[in-house]
Amino acid sequence: MLRLDAAVLKTCLQGYVVGSTTEDKPLVPQVGIETPESAAGIPAIIEVVHQVKEKAGISRSVKGLLKMNQLDGFDCPGCAWPEVSGKRKKMEFCENGAKAFADEATRKHIAPEFFERHSLAELEQQSGQWLNEQGRLTQPMVKKPGSDYYTPITWFSAYELIGKHLNGLNSPDQAAFYTSGRTSNEAAFLWQLFVRQFGTNNMPDCSNMCHESSGAGLTEVIGTGKGTVRLSDFDHADAIFILGQNPGSNHPRMLATLQKAKQRGAKIVSINPLNETGLRNFKNPQTMQGLLGKGTDLADLHLPVRINGDVALLQGLCKCILEAEALQPGKVLAHKFIAEHTQGFDAFADHVMATSWDEIVAASGVEELQIRAAAVIAIEAKNTICCWAMGLTQHKNAVANIQEIINFLLLRGNLGRTGAGACPVRGHSNVQGDRTMGVWEKPEQAFLDRLGQRFKFTPPARPGFDTVNTIHAMADGRVQVLIALGGNFLAATPDTAYTAEAVSKCKLTVQLSTKLNRSHIITGEAALILPVLGRSEMDMQNEGEQFVTVENSMGVVSMSRGYLSPASEFLRSEVAVVAEMAEATVGARSETKWRKFADDYHLIRDEIGLVIPGFTDFNDILYEEGSLELPHGVRDELRFDNAPGKALFTLHEIQPPQVPEGHYLMMTIRSHDQFNTTVYTQNDRYRGISENRHVVFMHPQDIAAATGLAADVQVDITSHHEGATRSMRGFTIVPFNIPMGCVATYYPETNPLIPVKHVADGSNTPAYKSVVVSLKRSGV
């Protein structure tokens, strides 16, 4: 571990001492609403007991939760944070995982009579939370053209209807097939095979709206779209930088990993507009200290970056490292690594050194001293890991954000070695696995060649539609059928009014779902609801009980076997539904034995092993080892599979969003009581919010400076993009510790404000995290 000498340290910090308390030199003044100082602890236990008791019942929940994330159990339907290898604790779940389980295992069911009582017009007036609370879907339902009601339909008739619509299209490209991150590897592989045998690559997925920017940015500069670390690397990291991520609410099991690293002596730096509770202090509810003690302080330093100020801040960190190298030549930069494994260093160094501190501070919103303090932590760390989530990936310059992280890591050689690397943290349990299985609108030709050779057909080579382009294609009539394998397409996508109108123009919409959501209410002329098994439920097929597999954020594939009795005898597995849809649509012209795959998932895994690299002997390894770690060129061999065969330093100009006077930059955020689009309650205890998600978080000084605004006042929010405006009414102002000029609102409630054309360069991801808005007092 490098220690800067006193003179260099003084120059880098200009008087600030690393480790000084906030009482000695406050770096981030606390203002606004009072929030808890600790995450988890006893409140988490109380909330878990309440949720499981009210929804699934204690007995059913105990049975299920003790199997969650276990080697012989089922994978959490929530986030994709990995489990430890080998022996696991009896309770391998977090508060939010327990909520997700209870929501899926609820005792409330929706029978056909529900749809007799409620028209779609009536259901459209209900909130997404209310729809979800009605319980599990239990029978296939159809909405016929011209009707405002769903009625029961047999599975056979549903498949027949799908096949008729798909085969009646003028072109396969008139259909789009959406995929949720909850989908298993087996279902995803069969899905993309079906879609490509049908004749299109129109496979939008949820990754298009979250980590697509990570994949695009990483692939260009290091040759892979996946993170480069193992979970065990956190045991060897000296510094962990967490950017644009709120693990306390979105990846709570990550807190235990950070706690272990912190107790070992690692330094943690949080870079985010909000100083989130989960990174301040963690009370592990599975330890006595967590229950009765003061918990573990996590972040040593928090940098309150302005929304979309990450490129500037990361360049500031790099500038500090380059300055330190100039003061202590040969001791700061990883010269041998840079010379042997990278390209473009000289141009990058010149670019960063020519960038002034005034520009960096103005664009990032973070004081130079704070950036220098973070840089010293990075310089003195032998091994550094950078973690990030959608706070970096949902901006117009999101790809640049990701590539600046790689620039930062390359300077000190923090790739391809133990305890160091890049860690994009995925928000859904198999979103990474779906992409590995080939669910992508822009497949590589080598993959298509292997797929076609194995299944004796010629896959389409032309790129398909991603999520945003699917919306546009539905709007102008190019896509007439939308089939969704899980998820909540309408709630998750931007520009809700535009998207709803686009969906309604379809001839047929189909949803494979466990719970009722907004996408069942806003439909095409005809619509199908196909109820499927949940992750926690037993999957019995003709060849006996089946299991599926999922891939976590770090490239480890594991088995998932449900244990609870299905919510209804009419439920089908996703694999079975995909197989029957394929049989009804392409069965007559395909050599694939679709129903045999549905009978025995081992057969699907055998095919995966023959088509997708890294899965050779897939079934055997699962039974022998319990999991499969996929190969990774950068992590395993320090090999970069991009065009130059080296990691690339990239140049990015600092381009702050143009925010007119009297306007603000808005980001959407998730609460502690939701998972993606599923909202459990109107509360957010980590931010002090109770019974109201229609709020706008705002700095007190911005509130005071704005005419007619005050705490607790209701305002209308208007977004502005390329001359167009979108407005929503009735949001309550909440004073909060957020950078001035910035505001935050909850997702998905404010998705109607997100312009569908406001997307990330290079990934086409909607820019949910940086939208220009104005506020006006309601009723004025």
Side-chain angles (χ1 to χ4, degrees):
M1 183 180 294
L2 174 67
R3 292 295 182 188
L4 297 178
D5 66 32
V8 175
L9 182 64
K10 183 176 181 180
T11 301
C12 284
L13 291 180
Q14 298 181 348
Y16 174 72
V17 180
V18 173
S20 64
T21 65
T22 53
E23 288 79 16
D24 295 333
K25 192 175 185 69
L27 291 183
V28 186
Q30 298 297 309
V31 295
I33 194 171
E34 184 176 343
T35 59
E37 284 303 312
S38 298
I42 291 177
I45 296 176
I46 293 172
E47 185 63 24
V48 166
V49 172
H50 171 73
Q51 290 282 333
V52 301
K53 180 181 178 182
E54 291 296 316
K55 293 183 176 179
I58 295 297
S59 176
R60 181 174 169 85
S61 296
V62 169
K63 179 182 178 181
L65 289 174
L66 290 179
K67 288 294 184 181
M68 184 184 285
N69 296 324
Q70 299 297 331
L71 291 171
D72 63 343
F74 61 92
D75 193 71
C76 176
C79 80
W81 190 253
E83 293 77 40
V84 297
S85 59
K87 187 177 181 180
R88 299 175 184 175
K89 296 178 294 185
K90 290 185 177 180
M91 292 185 287
E92 280 285 351
F93 58 87
C94 66
E95 175 189 347
N96 283 10
K99 290 176 183 175
F101 162 79
D103 196 65
E104 176 178 282
T106 178
R107 293 168 294 185
K108 296 182 69 174
H109 296 161
I110 296 178
E113 293 75 21
F114 173 89
F115 293 105
E116 291 178 7
R117 296 193 304 268
H118 300 287
S119 68
L120 292 184
E122 292 171 355
L123 293 175
E124 189 174 350
Q125 303 307 309
Q126 300 293 341
S127 69
Q129 181 183 339
W130 185 92
L131 295 174
N132 178 70
E133 288 174 346
Q134 302 314 298
R136 288 289 298 275
L137 296 161
T138 58
Q139 288 187 227
M141 307 294 293
V142 62
K143 185 199 86 70
K144 297 179 180 179
S147 175
D148 199 36
Y149 288 85
Y150 277 105
T151 56
I153 186 174
T154 65
W155 279 104
F156 177 83
S157 297
Y159 299 137
E160 189 177 49
L161 181 64
I162 292 169
K164 178 181 178 181
H165 272 272
L166 289 177
N167 288 326
L169 296 172
N170 293 327
S171 164
D173 289 332
Q174 289 181 308
F177 301 81
Y178 177 75
T179 314
S180 160
R182 191 185 69 87
T183 304
S184 68
N185 288 326
E186 289 75 10
F189 182 82
L190 216 60
W191 177 252
Q192 62 83 28
L193 177 62
F194 158 48
V195 173
R196 292 191 168 105
Q197 286 198 19
F198 176 62
T200 185
N201 283 313
N202 288 349
M203 277 182 275
D205 70 342
C206 58
S207 185
N208 296 150
M209 295 182 282
C210 57
H211 272 287
E212 195 70 49
S213 300
S214 296
L218 291 173
T219 299
E220 179 183 356
V221 295
I222 65 171
T224 177
K226 296 183 181 182
T228 69
V229 301
R230 295 183 172 97
L231 184 62
S232 59
D233 284 317
F234 285 83
D235 295 332
H236 304 278
D238 303 303
I240 302 169
F241 282 66
I242 302 172
L243 304 95
Q245 184 191 0
N246 177 19
S249 291
N250 299 322
H251 315 93
R253 286 190 300 132
M254 181 178 174
L255 297 184
T257 302
L258 297 177
Q259 179 188 44
K260 184 179 178 183
K262 187 63 187 295
Q263 291 172 339
R264 183 180 47 78
K267 298 284 188 180
I268 297 175
V269 177
S270 164
I271 300 175
N272 195 51
L274 303 180
N275 188 9
E276 302 285 13
T277 298
L279 286 175
R280 293 202 297 270
N281 183 277
F282 173 51
K283 291 186 175 182
N284 192 331
Q286 298 193 33
T287 67
M288 192 58 66
Q289 181 191 14
L291 292 175
L292 303 178
K294 64 178 183 179
T296 302
D297 291 336
L298 294 181
D300 295 270
L301 182 63
H302 172 67
L303 304 185
V305 64
R306 179 172 293 140
I307 292 174
N308 204 282
D310 302 279
V311 165
L313 191 147
L314 286 159
Q315 288 193 15
L317 290 174
C318 293
K319 186 178 179 75
C320 288
I321 294 172
L322 293 169
E323 289 175 348
E325 169 68 20
L327 293 167
Q328 209 164 346
K331 294 185 178 181
V332 177
L333 295 179
H335 290 279
K336 187 173 185 294
F337 174 90
I338 291 172
E340 294 180 359
H341 300 291
T342 75
Q343 183 175 300
F345 168 74
D346 290 339
F348 171 75
D350 291 344
H351 170 76
V352 169
M353 293 307 293
T355 304
S356 71
W357 275 109
D358 286 344
E359 184 179 5
I360 289 169
V361 170
S364 69
V366 179
E367 294 298 325
E368 181 181 342
L369 291 184
Q370 295 172 268
I371 298 175
R372 289 186 178 277
V376 169
I377 292 175
I379 292 168
E380 293 191 335
K382 177 182 178 182
N383 302 312
T384 296
I385 292 174
C386 284
C387 304
W388 70 89
M390 287 180 286
L392 260 64
T393 65
Q394 294 179 331
H395 301 277
K396 181 172 175 55
N397 61 344
V399 171
N401 285 339
I402 307 312
Q403 293 183 344
E404 288 290 2
I405 289 178
I406 298 302
N407 290 336
F408 172 62
L409 290 170
L410 291 179
L411 289 177
R412 299 270 296 145
N414 281 302
L415 286 180
R417 69 166 189 244
T418 300
C423 182
V425 184
R426 312 285 176 171
H428 212 163
S429 60
N430 199 43
V431 63
Q432 184 162 298
D434 291 348
R435 186 59 58 87
T436 301
M437 292 297 106
V439 175
W440 195 25
E441 76 280 359
K442 296 179 290 187
E444 296 179 352
Q445 189 59 49
F447 167 78
L448 294 179
D449 291 343
R450 292 191 301 271
L451 189 71
Q453 182 178 8
R454 179 60 189 166
F455 290 96
K456 301 178 181 178
F457 79 109
T458 302
R462 60 191 176 279
F465 296 137
D466 62 12
T467 297
V468 166
N469 286 331
T470 293
I471 296 171
H472 292 312
M474 290 188 294
D476 62 24
R478 286 174 293 153
V479 164
Q480 297 181 14
V481 174
L482 174 66
I483 306 180
L485 182 56
N488 186 352
F489 186 87
L490 188 68
T493 47
D495 220 337
T496 308
Y498 176 79
T499 301
E501 183 179 0
V503 169
S504 68
K505 292 180 179 180
C506 289
K507 300 296 185 183
L508 174 69
T509 52
V510 182
Q511 304 290 331
L512 282 67
S513 307
T514 57
K515 304 286 291 293
L516 190 65
N517 64 48
R518 186 68 58 194
S519 297
H520 304 116
I521 312 306
I522 306 298
T523 73
E525 291 179 15
L528 286 169
I529 296 175
L530 303 182
V532 294
L533 295 171
R535 184 75 61 78
S536 60
E537 292 172 319
M538 289 185 291
D539 185 352
M540 297 296 297
Q541 301 298 332
N542 288 338
E543 294 297 323
E545 185 179 356
Q546 305 296 314
F547 68 84
V548 295
T549 59
V550 295
E551 179 184 344
N552 65 35
S553 277
M554 298 178 191
V556 176
V557 180
S558 58
M559 295 186 288
S560 179
R561 187 192 305 271
Y563 271 81
L564 300 182
S565 298
S568 165
E569 64 179 310
F570 297 106
L571 301 187
R572 300 290 184 268
S573 73
E574 289 183 336
V575 170
V577 175
V578 173
E580 290 291 351
M581 280 197 298
E583 185 66 38
T585 306
V586 301
R589 57 183 185 271
S590 170
E591 295 188 26
T592 304
K593 306 302 182 184
W594 299 101
R595 291 191 176 115
K596 285 190 176 295
F597 285 141
D599 290 342
D600 186 355
Y601 301 175
H602 292 85
L603 301 178
I604 304 175
R605 289 188 287 273
D606 286 340
E607 298 298 333
I608 291 171
L610 293 171
V611 172
I612 300 178
F615 286 87
T616 303
D617 299 324
F618 190 12
N619 279 305
D620 291 341
I621 292 173
L622 288 175
Y623 280 109
E624 292 171 8
E625 306 292 336
S627 63
L628 167 67
E629 182 182 74
L630 296 176
H632 193 293
V634 177
R635 182 195 65 207
D636 302 337
E637 305 175 37
L638 199 55
R639 187 188 75 244
F640 301 98
D641 295 325
N642 54 4
K646 292 188 175 185
L648 302 180
F649 282 95
T650 49
L651 309 184
H652 301 285
E653 297 297 330
I654 296 174
Q655 297 177 323
Q658 298 302 305
V659 183
E661 185 176 353
H663 292 60
Y664 309 90
L665 202 58
M666 182 189 81
M667 65 177 181
T668 62
I669 58 177
R670 289 157 173 76
S671 78
H672 191 61
D673 260 4
Q674 75 178 101
F675 175 68
N676 290 345
T677 59
T678 302
V679 175
Y680 303 130
T681 77
Q682 295 291 301
N683 304 327
D684 187 0
R685 77 169 186 271
Y686 287 170
R687 299 193 183 104
I689 298 299
S690 178
E691 296 302 325
N692 184 18
R693 288 174 55 88
H694 280 70
V695 299
V696 53
F697 297 102
M698 192 174 184
H699 195 284
Q701 292 184 34
D702 281 336
I703 299 172
T707 302
L709 301 189
D712 298 324
V713 162
Q714 285 205 337
V715 295
D716 302 336
I717 308 176
T718 299
S719 66
H720 304 262
H721 181 71
E722 296 182 347
T725 60
R726 297 157 178 81
S727 297
M728 296 185 73
R729 297 179 178 178
F731 287 78
T732 301
I733 291 180
V734 175
F736 210 77
N737 193 30
I738 186 171
M740 292 185 64
C742 302
V743 298
T745 57
Y746 284 120
Y747 165 102
E749 281 82 354
T750 51
N751 282 0
L753 297 173
I754 311 300
V756 71
K757 294 182 179 180
H758 184 37
V759 296
D761 298 328
S763 70
N764 214 33
T765 296
Y768 298 92
K769 301 292 186 185
S770 50
V771 177
V772 175
V773 299
S774 58
L775 307 179
K776 184 183 73 171
R777 187 162 182 156
S778 297
V780 175

